[in-house]
Structure formats: C-alpha cells, structure tokens
Amino acid sequence: MAGMQDSWSQDQSVAIPNRLIFLQRWSYGKFSQHMVETRSARRDPLFDSVGRVASVACRVLQIRRYLNSSDFCIHPLVREALDSRRPVVALESTIITHGMPYPQNLSMAREVEEIIRANGSVPATIGVLSGRIHVGLQNEQLETLAKGKNAIKVSRRDLPYVLSQGLSGGTTVAGTMIVAHKAKIPVFVTGGIGGVHRGGEKTLDVSADLTELGRTPVAVISAGVKSILYIGRTLEYLETQGVCVATFGDSREFPAFFCHQSGFQAPYHVQNEEDAAQLIARSLNLQLGSGVLIAVPCPEDQAASGQLIEEAIQQALREAREKGITGKELTPFLLQKLNKLSSGESLRSNIALIKNNAKVGSCIAVALNKIQRAQGWGDDMAQNENVSPVPKPVVIGGINVDFIAKARDATIVGGGQTNPSIVRQSFGGVGRNLADCLSRLGKTPFFISVMGKDEHSESVLRYCKHMDMRGVLQLEGHNTATYCSVFTGSGELSLGLGDMDIHQQITEQYVSTFKETLCSAPLVCIDGNVPVSTIQYVCQIAREHHLAVCYEPTDVDKASKPFLSESWRALACISPNLRELRAINRTLGHPVSADMPSTLEEAVKTSLTLARPLLGELHCVVVTLGQHGVLVCSRNMNGRLSLRPGTFNKATAADELCAVHYPAIPVPTEEIVNVSGAGDSLMAGILAGLLAGEDMDDCVRMGLLSASFSLRSYEPVSPDINATSVNVARLKAQQWPVAKRWKLT
C-alpha cells in the first residue's frame, strides 16, 4: 500500500491542490461521513491520499480559525515556535492564582518558564485575562494573575461564563488541556492533577481533570495526584477513563505529590524522556482521543515527610468539614492549610517538584518533537494549506569548545612550572554565540556550521539543544574547533592556543545546499571564521535576492575578508570594534592613523571618520566600544536612525548620515567573570530587536542589556538571557544614560 501511495503521489502531484480546494469546502462532519462511506466501498490509494490530505487541511482550518478568534490570544514567541514546529510546553495558571501565596507564586512561575527554555522548549503559560484566553503570558500578565484576589478557577464548565463576562482566572489542569489541545501543544507540565477526593464515594467529588484526561489527547507531566486526595481510587478512575498512566524512572511506585511514595503502583513506567516521548507519540498516532499521564516523583532530597503530610491532611480535612468547604474551593483551602501546618515544608516541596516536572517535561517535549519531525509531522500541514513555515534568520559561523584557565596569582611563572588556576570549559565561537543568544531571545535562527565527529561534538549538541542545529555538519576524521586561553590572576590574557582548521570546511558547496533557506531568510548573519569564498558566495546571493546580510568581523586578522573584493558592497551591516574597523579601512586603502585613540572622545571621533566612507554602500556600521558602549552609524530615517536594510537609496545626500553613541550599562569589575561573549550578545540583542520590529533605541538597548548579563556569566552567552529578562517592557522600566547624536557630513 505504501508503495502504491508513493507511486500515486509522484504521478498525481498536480491533482492534490485542486482536489484539496474542492474538499476544503465540505463541512468537517459531512466530509468525515463521506470518507467513511467511500472507504467501506473500496480501498483506493488515490482516495486514501486525498482523504489524508483533506483531513489534515480541515484540521488546520479548524485550528487556525480557533487561534484567530476574538476569544484567543497567542503570544508572538509561542506562535513563532508553533509555526516553525519547535517544541512548546503548556503550563497551567491555577497554581499561580490558587496554589501558592504571593510572591512565591510569581517567582515560581518565572523560574519554571526559564527551566522550560533552558531545556530546549518554549513555555506557554495559559490563563484567562479580561475574558480572553492567553497562550503564553507577558511578565506583567503573570504578575496580574499572581497578585489578583478575585481570580476564578477556570475548568471546562467555567470557560463559557468567564469569557462571556470578561473575567480573569487561572486555568486548571482540565482547562489548560483543552486550550493546549486546540493550540496543538501536545505536552503540558503541572504540579499535580486533581482526583477522587477523600470521601468521594459519598460526595461524588471527582476532579474534572480525570474526565478531561479521558477525552483530550494531551500528555500531562505531573508529580502524580495531590496527596490530599484518594490516590488508589483516582488510579482506578483513570483506568475506567482509558488513560495510559506511567511513572517516570526505574520504579512503578506512584508518587504522592509532596512525597516520593504513595503505596500504590502505576500500571507502567518509562525509564527516560525518550521512552516517554515514544509512548506519547504512539498514543497520538493511534488517535485514541485520550491523554497520557506521566507521573514524576519529587526529588527525594526535596520530598516532604510522608507522616507529617498525612497528619496535616487529616487536620485540614477536619477543619474543611467543620467550615463546610466543598467543591472547587476545597483544594486551595487544603493546600494553604497544609503549608501552615507543615511550617512551609509542603510549599518548599511543591516548588521543588514543579521545577523538576518542568525540566523533565521540557526534555520529553524535545524528544517528542524529534520523533514527530522524523515522521513528517507538520510537513503536510504546511504544504497542503499552501502556507510556508515562518522564515527563520540564518547564522553562518564557527563553533568552538573553549578551555579558559585563570591563574590564581597576578603573574604566571614559566619554565614548565604548574601554576594554581581555575580551569573551565565552555562552548563558544562567534557564530554559535550569536545563534545561542538569538535563540534565548525567541528568534531561533537556522545555524550553519561544521564540527568534528569526536568527543567534543556530543557535548556541543547537548549544550545547544535549545538551538536549531540542523545545519551543523559533523565530519569524521576532523577535530571540533577548540581554543585554550590562559589569563593571569588580574585578568590579562597571557596565552591563546587554537585548533580552528575545521572552520575551513564551512565551504561554499556546503552552504549552497541551504540556498532556499538563505533566500527566504529575513536576516543572514555571517562571522569572520567562514572562508573568503563562502563569504563571497553569500554576498552574491544577497545581491541577487536583496537579502539583508550582517557581517561580524570576529578579530583583526579576519575582519577584512569581505573587503578583499567587491563582495562587501552587498552587505547591509557590519559590527567591528575599533581595531577591526581600522583593519577594514587599511584593506580598502583609506588613511588610518598609526596610533590608537586613548580617550572615549578620540575613539568616537576616529570611529566616525572611519565609518563615514563605508556608508556609501553599507546601511549601518555598529562600532563596539567595550566598556564605553556602542556607536551606531547609519542614516536618518524620518528624524530617527534605522537599522532596517533596504529602506534607503545609496544616492541620498550625505547630510542624512548620522551617528549615535549609547553608553554601556555599568558592570562592577568584581562582577565581570567572562568577556568572551559580551560583544556577540550585544549584536544578537540588536538583531533580535530588529527582527521584532523595534525602533533603533530599543534594539541597541536590548543588545546592551544582553551584554551585561553575559559579562556576569561563566558562559559566553548567559543562560539568564531570555525573552522575559530582555524585552521592551524591561527596557522601559530601566533608567538609561542619554545617548549622544551627531550628523555626519
């Protein structure tokens, strides 16, 4: 059958779109009935293929109509991830509104989102604000829910009323599952699910979470069932609902939320995230219509005492009965009472388990995403709806494994003597740093590079799992680029050793295999590690297809590569430091002073002089000035500078050329631990702002803020950089030194 279908697909490639247009006009129910009747009459490969295509198309149309409805607001970063088929993890908001007190609830929500990002997925916290469902919350929206006194617990039954009345609330496990499924997010992380309440055989108090798991195909990653509930009966109820339940790890012992063990066994267990992803993928492929529950035990060192928790539960239940507290008010009351009775131990365990669940859930989402991509998930959806995935920016450049040694003493003793030092390994390379920072800021680029297939390459891939590394070639018999730097105790570079030969394998031939991706990219960034012939090829493509290409010079010796020919005239932007800018001008035959400037005023004046002749062709020159900030030289567009390529005419009068100096964010010397990636973080922040459509002031300040984070990090690009820590709202809340502006003549 597969062979027949493949053969038909090749012969009838023109037929699918025309048939698809016709079939899309059917209502979903009528089309499904028609397909069942037709398939029962005959098994025709032609009709099977058209049916598969049309089913996908109908589903896509349903999803898009829902996502674009007035009831639904999807965060741009989440939408971008969904459109580009990257892993997304849904998060509930009842844990924020009803599960923890302020401010622990807010700090927990922010930390959980960051854990999701750090492990390779995009977080999508779901909540309801002023009658609209939000998938992905801004920092201010998280704070609104965290501080709110009148937030409603929003489950399936509550959604119509809350939306119709314009109210706000936190979505429960059931409510979040519904929204995640409609948004096509298959993995959802929570603390613990609801279940059968103690005494439920009399009160029939059974959480809607259980019935939702039986009818909504979303994988829920939790620390099992809240221990205030009847766990054994909950597992029985899940079995009745047809929900596949598995523990995560070596044991089938079902966790009891705060506690590591409950005394009950799950029917199955999965050893790791790959096994969990395979289980979820099979469930989705079978279209069972039910969810999967993966129960992750709370880390043993963070788990609460079982006896302490049980005694507190019994006391809390007695008080609830005495006060007549029932229904959806019962769980928040019990959790708050538990925290008080356990002297905060239950809250500490709650925070620890949700963080652990976030890490496990994000890794499962990444593994599931790989399986779905291998199966072609989403490809038919994009192709058959005649909608292409959102084009990504492209970064082409080097990957390094860096070994940084800093002596404990101010001077290094030679002669073969061992100097006491601190030695660290990190992952760098200008291209990798740019791609890393852009990814953390939600603008994940397609990264093109080359590394060896050796002991270093696997470490690189593990560390860079949050990046799109599909364009990175691994070569047998070659070494991954490595660099070793030795610093004195005072921070002076004493010696640098590098094995960078593999960067020469980023050839024109290899890069040309991604020509289609290059031609559709909103921005291409290339670093100086790339061979001259490859840079010339990219510049040729840029000229032919009007692409915006930025060049990061990397160092003085490599800065002039595009300027050895006329290729540089196709560039939109370069980002040299002053030494690199001097080298570029020497290559072009422009006069350059023999001495480096010694003051900031002299550095700015020299930079302006050297940038001016380049602006006849380039759109923008970004001169990095280290601790003094950055100088942006460009054209005055309607009274302000613009970084946008293609918005000017090279014949424009010279008096429209302008420059702006932005001072750096002061970072105390004792807080600076690594300067190797600050410049790359600066440029990536600027480019991320540009891709988001921000004005130039905000673009540059996003870069300066990113650089300040990286200066304080042992990694070249700080893991603390993300769309929450670096965004326009954060910029507006900060005091900035006044930028100084010049008109160039």
Side-chain angles (χ1 to χ4, degrees):
M1 190 63 169
M4 294 172 64
Q5 197 165 351
D6 290 343
S7 174
W8 176 84
S9 298
Q10 293 170 3
D11 297 337
Q12 303 291 332
S13 57
V14 179
I16 290 181
N18 296 329
R19 293 172 186 264
L20 179 58
I21 292 170
F22 169 74
L23 291 169
Q24 284 176 340
R25 295 172 184 165
W26 291 57
S27 70
Y28 187 70
K30 186 173 182 181
F31 176 76
S32 299
Q33 180 182 0
H34 178 76
M35 285 301 299
V36 169
E37 293 170 353
T38 305
R39 287 185 178 182
S40 65
R42 63 173 182 166
R43 296 295 297 176
D44 186 334
L46 168 63
F47 217 84
D48 281 349
S49 297
V50 174
R52 177 178 60 82
V53 170
S55 296
V56 171
C58 290
R59 179 65 179 142
V60 169
L61 292 175
Q62 282 187 321
I63 293 168
R64 294 220 171 213
R65 278 197 295 269
Y66 183 79
L67 293 180
N68 294 323
S69 74
S70 60
D71 293 332
F72 199 96
C73 179
I74 188 163
H75 191 287
L77 297 181
V78 177
R79 182 181 291 279
E80 181 189 28
L82 292 171
D83 287 343
S84 58
R85 301 191 293 281
R86 290 163 51 210
V88 178
V89 172
L91 297 165
E92 55 137 313
S93 48
T94 298
I95 194 171
I96 302 171
T97 57
H98 293 79
M100 294 182 187
Y102 179 83
Q104 290 96 329
N105 56 353
L106 180 59
S107 60
M108 176 278 304
R110 289 170 174 166
E111 289 176 33
V112 165
E113 287 197 344
E114 180 52 32
I115 290 168
I116 298 286
R117 292 188 191 96
N119 285 278
S121 300
V122 175
T125 301
I126 293 171
V128 181
L129 289 161
S130 302
R132 295 194 74 193
I133 299 170
H134 288 255
V135 179
L137 297 177
Q138 302 280 6
N139 195 49
E140 297 77 11
Q141 294 170 327
L142 280 174
E143 192 162 351
T144 297
L145 287 179
K147 290 181 175 179
K149 300 296 184 183
N150 300 311
I152 296 172
K153 285 181 70 174
V154 184
S155 188
R156 174 182 281 269
R157 72 166 187 183
D158 310 295
L159 279 167
Y161 181 79
V162 172
L163 268 59
S164 67
Q165 298 298 309
L167 303 176
S168 299
T171 51
T172 64
V173 169
T176 305
M177 286 182 71
I178 294 167
V179 177
H181 176 53
K182 289 184 179 294
K184 215 166 180 63
I185 301 173
V187 177
F188 159 39
V189 165
T190 183
I193 66 167
V196 179
H197 277 266
R198 301 190 186 201
E201 71 279 6
K202 299 176 182 177
T203 63
L204 299 182
D205 191 350
V206 178
S207 171
D209 298 351
L210 304 187
T211 49
E212 205 61 54
L213 274 161
R215 61 184 170 186
T216 302
V218 170
V220 179
I221 317 301
S222 80
V225 179
K226 294 182 178 73
S227 50
I228 58 176
L229 306 171
Y230 199 119
I231 294 175
R233 287 175 182 164
T234 299
L235 288 171
E236 292 288 347
Y237 197 98
L238 287 170
E239 179 184 356
T240 302
Q241 293 292 316
V243 179
C244 182
V245 178
T247 55
F248 186 87
D250 297 329
S251 171
R252 285 174 48 212
E253 175 78 27
F254 194 79
F257 197 56
F258 301 121
C259 308
H260 202 68
Q261 298 176 329
S262 68
F264 296 94
Q265 295 285 300
Y268 308 108
H269 75 101
V270 288
Q271 293 276 358
N272 49 46
E273 54 264 25
E274 287 79 15
D275 289 350
Q278 288 288 353
L279 173 64
I280 297 165
R282 292 298 187 274
S283 179
L284 294 173
N285 290 345
L286 287 170
Q287 299 182 9
L288 298 174
S290 54
V292 172
L293 177 62
I294 306 294
V296 183
C298 179
E300 286 195 64
D301 60 339
Q302 299 287 338
S305 163
Q307 182 178 353
L308 172 67
I309 292 297
E310 183 58 30
E311 290 174 356
I313 289 172
Q314 292 301 329
Q315 183 175 339
L317 285 169
R318 283 194 299 272
E319 291 191 28
R321 284 193 295 269
E322 292 168 0
K323 295 180 179 180
I325 298 172
T326 59
K328 66 179 182 180
E329 306 302 327
L330 180 57
T331 297
F333 171 81
L334 293 176
L335 291 176
Q336 290 170 11
K337 200 67 183 175
L338 275 180
N339 182 43
K340 183 177 179 180
L341 294 173
S342 66
S343 302
E345 185 174 343
S346 65
L347 179 58
R348 287 190 292 273
S349 293
N350 197 354
I351 293 173
L353 67 87
I354 184 61
K355 289 181 180 179
N356 186 55
N357 292 351
K359 179 180 179 181
V360 172
S362 184
C363 293
I364 290 173
V366 170
L368 177 62
N369 185 262
K370 289 178 181 177
I371 293 170
Q372 291 175 322
R373 283 179 177 274
Q375 293 174 346
W377 168 81
D379 293 341
D380 289 339
M381 188 180 297
Q383 294 168 5
N384 294 323
E385 201 195 8
N386 273 336
V387 177
S388 299
V390 176
K392 286 186 170 189
V394 174
V395 173
I396 310 171
I399 297 172
N400 296 341
V401 178
D402 294 334
F403 296 92
I404 303 170
K406 185 175 182 180
R408 297 186 185 276
D409 298 327
T411 57
I412 293 177
V413 179
Q417 183 173 333
T418 299
N419 291 261
S421 339
I422 297 173
V423 181
R424 293 182 180 272
Q425 176 183 323
S426 61
F427 301 96
V430 171
R432 195 218 66 84
N433 291 348
L434 289 167
D436 184 349
C437 193
L438 282 168
S439 299
R440 294 181 187 278
L441 291 171
K443 301 298 178 185
T444 304
F446 185 82
F447 182 37
I448 301 174
S449 189
V450 175
M451 60 182 179
K453 198 163 189 178
D454 54 18
E455 68 275 11
H456 295 308
S457 58
E458 290 305 315
S459 298
V460 170
L461 291 173
R462 279 195 301 272
Y463 183 80
C464 300
K465 60 186 176 183
H466 61 291
M467 298 162 53
D468 186 344
M469 301 284 281
R470 291 173 297 156
V472 177
L473 178 65
Q474 289 184 262
L475 292 176
E476 295 275 7
H478 288 76
N479 296 329
T480 298
T482 52
Y483 176 74
C484 178
S485 55
V486 180
F487 291 88
T488 65
S490 58
E492 295 295 322
L493 179 64
S494 174
L495 180 66
L497 300 170
D499 177 3
M500 309 286 189
D501 291 348
I502 196 168
H503 291 155
Q504 298 307 307
Q505 302 301 317
I506 311 175
T507 62
E508 172 187 347
Q509 291 74 20
Y510 179 61
V511 173
S512 68
T513 62
F514 303 107
K515 182 176 179 180
E516 185 177 344
T517 302
L518 284 168
C519 292
S520 64
L523 187 71
V524 178
C525 192
I526 188 166
D527 81 16
N529 290 305
V530 176
V532 171
S533 59
T534 305
I535 294 174
Q536 291 174 344
Y537 168 75
V538 173
C539 289
Q540 177 187 340
I541 294 295
R543 188 180 296 109
E544 293 172 355
H545 296 272
H546 309 289
L547 303 180
V549 178
C550 293
Y551 177 65
E552 167 49 57
T554 306
D555 64 34
V556 171
D557 294 333
K558 300 169 183 174
S560 298
K561 284 184 177 181
F563 300 88
L564 297 173
S565 67
E566 296 299 301
S567 297
W568 71 277
R569 299 180 187 277
L571 298 174
C573 176
I574 62 173
S575 53
N577 60 29
L578 186 50
R579 291 182 184 277
E580 292 160 353
L581 183 59
R582 286 161 54 89
I584 289 168
N585 274 265
R586 286 196 192 95
T587 300
L588 293 174
H590 301 155
V592 177
S593 170
D595 300 322
M596 281 287 292
S598 57
T599 66
L600 173 59
E601 290 72 18
E602 290 176 359
V604 169
K605 183 177 179 180
T606 301
S607 298
L608 294 174
T609 301
L610 296 177
R612 175 61 188 86
L614 304 179
L615 291 171
E617 300 291 340
L618 300 179
H619 183 65
C620 182
V621 178
V622 179
V623 186
T624 57
L625 299 172
Q627 64 180 338
H628 298 301
V630 61
L631 181 72
V632 180
C633 307
S634 184
R635 293 177 178 266
N636 188 329
M637 304 296 296
N638 299 321
R640 66 175 186 173
L641 296 184
S642 171
L643 291 178
R644 299 177 184 280
T647 56
F648 73 102
N649 185 334
K650 291 181 181 179
T652 304
D655 61 2
E656 292 185 355
L657 297 176
C658 295
V660 184
H661 173 243
Y662 297 87
I665 298 174
V667 178
T669 303
E670 63 273 13
E671 294 182 18
I672 297 175
V673 296
N674 188 355
V675 300
S676 64
D680 302 331
S681 299
L682 167 71
M683 198 59 198
I686 293 174
L687 296 179
L690 172 61
L691 289 165
E694 308 298 346
D695 65 32
M696 197 192 73
D697 284 354
D698 285 341
C699 288
V700 175
R701 285 167 180 159
M702 284 179 67
L704 291 169
L705 188 54
S706 299
S708 71
F709 277 110
S710 292
L711 286 170
R712 294 178 167 94
S713 171
Y714 285 106
E715 304 297 334
V717 175
S718 172
D720 292 333
I721 294 173
N722 56 59
T724 300
S725 62
V726 180
N727 58 34
V728 174
R730 185 63 61 89
L731 301 181
K732 303 299 185 188
Q734 186 162 331
Q735 292 293 323
W736 292 90
V738 177
K740 187 174 181 181
R741 301 171 185 266
W742 295 267
K743 179 184 288 188
L744 302 181
T745 56

